[in-house]
Amino acid sequence: MKITAFGVNKEEKYYFEKLAQTKNFELVQTPEWVTADNIELAAGSDAISTMQTGAYDEPLFKKMADLQIPLLALRNVGTDNIDFAAARKYNIQISNVPSYSPATIAEFVVMTMLRLLRKTKKMDRAIEAGQLVSAQKMTGRTLRDETVGVIGTGHIGFTTAELLHNMGAKIIAFDAFPKKDAPDWLQYVDSLEDLLKQVSLVTLHVPGLKENDHLLNADRLALLPQDAIVVNTGRGNLIDTDALIAELQMKRLAGAGIDTFEYEADIEREIQSGEQPQESHYLALQEMDNVIITPHIAYHSMKAVENMVGISVDNIFSYVEQGTTINPVK
Ligand code: NAD
Ligand code: COI
């Protein structure tokens, strides 16, 4: 069996090489993201393993069909960047890793919330500038006195809610399909609007599908109480960034934590071509003391990497040996 893995970073390389030895498959690895222009590297492979936030589009699937590579095995959760109609047209199967370490993202959310509640960006900037900030200018808020709105209570949302509950926060949740076996402390409301009116912190854990575009738009952000904080580790398109910036500039919101950013593809392009990021929304947010931007890294821990690589390889083995993947995505 031959697997070509694209977008492989240093940590992943270690696990891929270990698995290639123990499971005995031929491995080709490259740090490059897969596109129609470099897929030829995978000629003769049974599948490609890949992970990226850029597009998986028709030209890529057409070339995969030409090269007779039937499977694109994602190492990640999100599938919002896949042109499924094109995949179907060329009969390319897709699998993902629906859960690799929800705790990795959940802990990142809690960290971001604590940093925002205790204004650490303002403090770090002052200290870097050789200044001391008086405690009075740094008055914080305690998580256990907050009411957190969790939007989406799937793998990551539920784990995040559980951590926050264990730290003493009150949890209010909204999901299109509420958990049937929800614990007592997980209080669901019937609408997103109801949730937004009642919470002081909100965290997003729904997929970035087209129908979730700007789930938090200007009207909905305006429902949040004064000094609420918004955290997004879901997908960039879930928030109308212009509306978010307006709320922050009006000082209606006390802060925002953005790991998944609406214009992250633009920033990535700029950085990859060796430029400083110039994207205007990014610059506006980055300038603010009460906004923490992270470059889509909530997912990245050693445990997560091990599972992402291992489960994507399991999917490929299952496809080759039994004709179906364990985690097909339609
Ligand atoms: P999941 O599929 O387990 O849960 C998603 C939940 O959202 C489901 O319960 C679903 O019913 C609900 N939902 C979908 N649309 C909704 C809507 N409009 N309103 C209310 N509920 C809705 O997904 P997950 O594993 O918890 O992951 C959540 C998202 O986190 C992923 O889709 C992915 O985009 C993102 N993610 C980000 C990172 C990162 O590094 N920042 C890492 C992994 C996943
Ligand atoms: C996901 O698993 O969906 C992520 O957001 C991680 C990213 C590397 C694509």
Side-chain angles (χ1 to χ4, degrees):
M1 185 181 314
K2 180 175 172 186
I3 298 176
T4 299
F6 287 88
V8 178
N9 62 40
K10 193 165 79 299
E11 289 80 12
E12 291 174 313
K13 193 166 179 285
Y14 168 78
Y15 290 113
F16 266 121
E17 283 168 4
K18 207 166 137 187
L19 280 174
Q21 279 203 343
T22 53
K23 290 175 86 87
N24 194 25
F25 59 88
E26 186 184 342
L27 173 68
V28 176
Q29 304 182 80
T30 171
E32 283 177 35
W33 297 130
V34 67
T35 66
D37 296 331
N38 64 8
I39 183 72
E40 257 136 40
L41 181 68
S45 299
D46 294 282
I48 62 167
S49 163
T50 176
M51 171 186 76
Q52 67 196 47
T53 48
Y56 296 99
D57 51 13
E58 175 149 6
L60 173 69
F61 293 129
K62 181 178 181 320
K63 279 229 179 144
M64 284 181 71
D66 291 345
L67 292 165
Q68 299 185 324
I69 304 170
L71 172 65
L72 184 148
L74 295 170
R75 303 195 287 279
N76 64 290
V77 176
T79 55
D80 43 286
N81 49 338
I82 292 178
D83 181 343
F84 282 102
R88 268 193 301 277
K89 180 171 167 190
Y90 293 101
N91 202 20
I92 303 298
Q93 311 302 308
I94 312 284
S95 63
N96 76 341
V97 182
S99 179
Y100 45 79
S101 172
T104 298
I105 298 107
E107 288 177 14
F108 195 93
V109 172
V110 173
M111 175 195 74
T112 303
M113 286 179 172
L114 290 172
R115 287 182 68 194
L116 290 163
L117 290 170
R118 301 307 295 267
K119 305 180 180 168
T120 61
K121 182 168 168 187
K122 182 175 176 177
M123 180 173 63
D124 290 344
R125 281 182 159 180
I127 288 170
E128 274 162 24
Q131 296 157 7
L132 284 179
V133 209
S134 69
Q136 287 71 24
K137 286 194 181 145
M138 291 290 304
T139 313
R141 284 158 48 178
T142 42
L143 188 53
R144 64 175 51 226
D145 295 314
E146 300 287 322
T147 301
V148 184
V150 177
I151 303 176
T153 54
H155 296 101
I156 299 168
F158 181 73
T159 308
T160 305
E162 205 172 29
L163 273 181
L164 292 165
H165 163 71
N166 288 335
M167 292 175 82
K170 179 176 175 194
I171 310 296
I172 298 182
F174 176 66
D175 196 296
F177 299 94
K179 267 187 179 305
K180 292 206 172 68
D181 53 350
D184 291 346
W185 53 263
L186 188 68
Q187 188 191 321
Y188 279 103
V189 287
D190 292 334
S191 75
L192 185 49
E193 283 72 16
D194 262 5
L195 177 144
L196 294 170
K197 286 180 204 161
Q198 298 180 51
V199 299
S200 53
L201 274 161
V202 63
T203 179
L204 286 160
H205 300 288
V206 299
L209 303 170
K210 226 34 255 91
E211 56 265 33
N212 286 340
D213 243 354
H214 290 185
L215 193 69
L216 290 192
N217 56 20
D219 290 346
R220 287 191 173 135
L221 285 169
L223 295 175
L224 285 164
Q226 175 69 38
D227 291 329
I229 288 173
V230 176
V231 174
N232 186 12
T233 58
R235 277 294 182 264
N237 69 321
L238 300 176
I239 300 184
D240 177 344
T241 308
D242 280 315
L244 178 75
I245 291 172
E247 291 282 326
L248 287 160
Q249 285 172 339
M250 284 187 287
K251 305 215 180 305
R252 276 241 322 119
L253 294 179
I258 306 293
D259 184 58
T260 44
F261 175 52
E262 195 170 6
Y263 303 98
E264 71 187 32
D266 299 330
I267 308 285
E268 191 164 327
R269 252 192 311 278
E270 290 173 346
I271 292 177
Q272 296 223 339
S273 48
E275 295 164 29
Q276 286 287 322
Q278 295 298 324
E279 201 286 318
S280 61
H281 301 85
Y282 175 81
L283 294 182
L285 289 167
Q286 189 52 18
E287 193 184 87
M288 296 184 209
D289 273 346
N290 56 349
V291 175
I292 293 173
I293 305 194
T294 46
H296 203 145
I297 53 167
Y299 74 99
H300 204 242
S301 71
M302 286 313 277
K303 176 49 77 188
V305 170
E306 182 178 2
N307 289 338
M308 289 165 109
V309 171
I311 298 170
S312 87
V313 169
D314 287 347
N315 271 312
I316 296 170
F317 267 72
S318 168
Y319 186 78
V320 171
E321 288 170 356
Q322 289 157 45
T324 61
T325 62
I326 306 159
N327 307 114
V329 189
K330 302 285 179 207

